[in-house]
């Protein structure tokens, strides 16, 4: 019940209880038939076929009432059920002389009248119809007892059933009220957890963007010769400053135009070529167009970080980028034959692969695998599933992707 919306929980709970009562009523009739047949086996002279036939119309009316569930079908069931209970009681008291067996069988015929009560699922109505069913059944059996001049039968099991029904309905009603008080607290906790997760995603993406821009620029400026700044580097710095000072990366990803993902990917690759890295592209980059825009942004930025790592740390001026589609996800591999490294020995303060690749791809539901060792080059495989992104945060407009790349592994 705690997982059901507050305005639906009482009704769903009540309907579930009513359906359980219907199943119990059918079980009671089946138990009566089995008990009669077993008694017939032990006492061959007893004729129980009349009692079995008396239960069939009641069973049929249960099906009718379950199907329609109106007050008219409820009244019809009580009328037919009352007649069937009278008929059943007459036959049983004539054919079954054993007192406790007779009382047990009469209770089984009254129990369906208690359980299959009324139309709707309001707890108070369920209790009222259960009382009406008990009174109807008790009156029918009493008439049969008077007609057959039999001793009174206590119908203990029927009384126990009535008490159980009333107690269960009252208990579930109280539980529903308690859940209505508790559920807002659960919803508030869930909302706070969602906000915390979103905030953590925003902070992680902000840290990744900061790493991809500022550290890259500081490194580039430190390595640049004296004199005026290279025009291309100046444009890159200006574009990335606009990303850092703007709020575009916080906005929900808009529907991207066809080919925008490929254009962003190509622009990122061209920028690294301009910076002196020989990048070979293989596979089908158009596969990127099948990704959600947030996934495209994350993937292009992560690939850019990998190429920046090759350029800064691998000791080689060449890398290969392969893009391929396995029908359920887009996979991009960045491979170089440089000096390689041991990821486990990378310091905790080195956020390139961790923050700008692994965490970024993880926020859009993807996975990253890295194969590298000193002297054997590095291969980074990033896999992102097709379909809507469900990660906490990773949104940047495509035009801003090209300028942001990291400076360290």
């Amino acid at each position: 019940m705690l997982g059901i919306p507050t305005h639906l929980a009482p009704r769903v709970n009540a309907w579930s209880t009513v359906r359980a009562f219907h199943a119990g009523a059918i079980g009671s009739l089946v138990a009566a038939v089995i008990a009669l047949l077993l008694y017939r086996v032990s006492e061959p002279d007893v004729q129980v076929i009349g009692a079995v036939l008396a239960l069939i119309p009641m069973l049929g009316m249960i099906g009718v009432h379950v199907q329609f569930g109106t007050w008219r079908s409820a009244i019809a069931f009580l009328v037919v059920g009352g007649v069937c209970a009278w008929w059943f009681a007459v036959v049983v008291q004539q054919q079954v002389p054993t007192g406790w067996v007779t009382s047990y069988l009469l209770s089984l015929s009254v129990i369906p009248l208690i359980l299959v009560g009324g139309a709707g699922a309001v707890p108070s109505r369920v209790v009222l119809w259960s009382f009406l069913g008990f009174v109807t059944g008790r009156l029918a059996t009493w008439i049969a007892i008077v007609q057959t001049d039999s001793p009174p039968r206590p119908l203990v099991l029927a009384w126990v059933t009535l008490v159980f029904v009333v107690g269960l309905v009252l208990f579930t009603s109280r539980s529903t009220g308690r859940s209505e008080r508790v559920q807002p607290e659960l919803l508030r906790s869930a909302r706070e957890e969602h906000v915390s997760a979103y905030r953590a995603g925003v902070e992680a993406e902000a840290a990744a963007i900061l790493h991809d821009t500022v550290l890259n620029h500081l490194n580039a400026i430190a390595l640049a010769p004296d004199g005026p700044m290279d025009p291309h580097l100046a444009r890159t710095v200006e574009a990335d400053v606009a990303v850092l000072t703007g709020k575009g990366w916080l906005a929900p990803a808009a529907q991207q135009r066809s080919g925008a993902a490929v254009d962003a990917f190509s622009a990122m690759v061209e920028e690294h070529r301009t910076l002196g890295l020989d990048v070979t592209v293989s596979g089908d980059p158009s596969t990127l167009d099948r990704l959600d825009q947030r996934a495209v942004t994350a993937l292009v930025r992560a690939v850019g970080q990998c190429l920046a790592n090759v350029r800064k740390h691998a000791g080689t001026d060449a890398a290969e980028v392969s893009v391929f589609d396995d029908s359920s996800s887009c996979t991009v591999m960045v491979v170089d034959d440089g000096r390689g490294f041991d990821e486990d020995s990378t310091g905790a303060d080195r956020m390139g692969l961790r923050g700008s690749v692994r965490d970024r791809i993880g926020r859009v539901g993807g996975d990253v695998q890295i194969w590298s060792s000193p002297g054997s080059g590095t291969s980074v495989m990033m896999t992102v599933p097709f379909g809507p992104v469900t990660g906490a945060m990773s949104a940047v407009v495509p035009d801003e992707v090209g300028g942001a790349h990291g400076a360290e592994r």
Side-chain angles (χ1 to χ4, degrees):
M1 288 172 53
L2 293 177
I4 302 174
T6 305
H7 66 288
L8 296 179
R11 188 169 184 83
V12 170
N13 180 64
W15 272 116
S16 301
T17 304
V18 168
R19 289 293 184 261
F21 287 168
H22 292 168
I26 296 173
S28 178
L29 295 179
V30 172
V33 172
I34 293 175
L36 285 171
L37 295 178
L38 292 176
Y39 193 82
R40 174 71 173 78
V41 171
S42 63
E43 300 289 341
D45 295 335
V46 173
Q47 301 297 320
V48 298
I49 185 65
V52 173
L53 293 176
L55 299 178
I56 295 177
M58 188 185 297
L59 184 62
M61 286 305 299
I62 291 177
V64 171
H65 181 54
V66 170
Q67 177 68 30
F68 294 98
T70 65
W71 65 268
R72 293 182 178 84
S73 65
I75 292 177
F77 171 75
L78 290 181
V79 171
V80 174
V83 173
C84 291
W86 166 80
W87 179 10
F88 181 85
V90 169
V91 176
V92 166
Q93 291 182 110
Q94 290 175 345
Q95 298 295 325
V96 182
T98 307
W100 69 271
V101 177
T102 303
S103 177
Y104 173 70
L105 290 172
L106 295 184
S107 292
L108 290 179
S109 68
V110 174
I111 286 174
L113 297 172
I114 300 173
L115 295 179
V116 186
V122 179
S124 59
R125 293 181 183 177
V126 174
V127 172
L128 176 61
W129 282 100
S130 296
F131 270 108
L132 290 177
F134 176 79
V135 171
T136 301
R138 194 68 185 91
L139 181 61
T141 56
W142 180 79
I143 294 174
I145 290 172
V146 172
Q147 286 181 331
T148 57
D149 195 22
S150 302
R153 307 297 182 186
L155 305 187
V156 175
L157 189 58
W159 278 103
V160 171
T161 302
L162 179 62
V163 173
F164 171 77
V165 168
V166 174
L168 181 63
V169 170
L170 294 178
F171 175 77
T172 54
S173 300
R174 184 177 179 182
S175 298
T176 300
R178 186 161 54 246
S179 71
E180 289 177 348
R181 295 190 298 272
V182 172
Q183 193 176 59
E185 297 296 328
L186 296 178
L187 294 177
R188 182 159 43 251
S189 298
R191 183 171 60 250
E192 290 175 356
E193 182 178 358
H194 175 75
V195 170
S196 297
Y198 183 82
R199 181 182 294 113
V202 171
E203 292 173 352
E205 183 63 20
I209 292 176
L210 186 65
H211 169 272
D212 293 351
T213 54
V214 173
L215 295 181
N216 182 50
H217 299 149
L218 291 175
N219 184 76
I221 293 173
L223 296 177
D226 294 338
M229 184 181 296
D230 179 76
H232 176 77
L233 178 58
R235 288 193 300 270
T236 302
V237 170
E238 291 176 359
D240 288 343
V241 168
V243 173
L244 293 173
T245 58
K247 298 181 179 179
W249 63 277
L250 284 170
Q255 183 65 35
Q256 63 184 12
R257 62 176 176 80
S258 178
V262 178
D263 292 345
F265 177 79
S266 300
M268 178 271 298
V269 171
E270 283 301 321
E271 178 170 347
H272 283 282
R273 286 171 176 165
T274 302
L275 294 174
L277 186 65
D278 181 12
V279 182
T280 302
V281 178
S282 61
D284 184 12
S286 65
T287 299
L288 295 167
D289 277 328
R290 295 184 56 192
L291 292 171
D292 179 275
Q293 176 161 337
R294 288 174 58 196
V296 170
T297 299
L299 189 56
V300 171
R301 281 192 174 275
V303 173
Q305 172 64 38
C306 292
L307 293 178
N309 285 338
V310 173
R311 185 164 47 85
K312 303 294 184 181
H313 305 290
T316 180
D317 60 358
E320 181 178 358
V321 179
S322 301
V323 184
F324 51 92
D325 172 7
D326 65 359
S327 76
S328 62
S329 60
C330 174
T331 298
V332 180
M333 288 195 68
V334 179
V335 181
D336 69 77
D337 59 355
R339 62 172 60 100
F341 71 105
D342 182 3
E343 187 179 8
D344 293 337
S345 64
T346 303
D349 60 332
R350 311 291 285 185
M351 298 300 296
L353 283 175
R354 185 179 300 110
S356 295
V357 180
R358 286 193 182 277
D359 292 349
R360 176 173 274 150
I361 295 299
R363 287 195 294 273
V364 294
D367 179 65
V368 177
Q369 297 185 56
I370 300 174
W371 296 274
S372 182
S373 60
S376 63
T378 301
S379 296
V380 181
M381 184 172 73
M382 294 156 281
T383 302
V384 177
F386 296 122
V389 172
T390 56
M393 179 68 207
S394 178
V396 199
V397 295
D399 291 341
E400 297 169 344
V401 171
H405 306 298
E408 57 177 326
R409 292 194 189 274

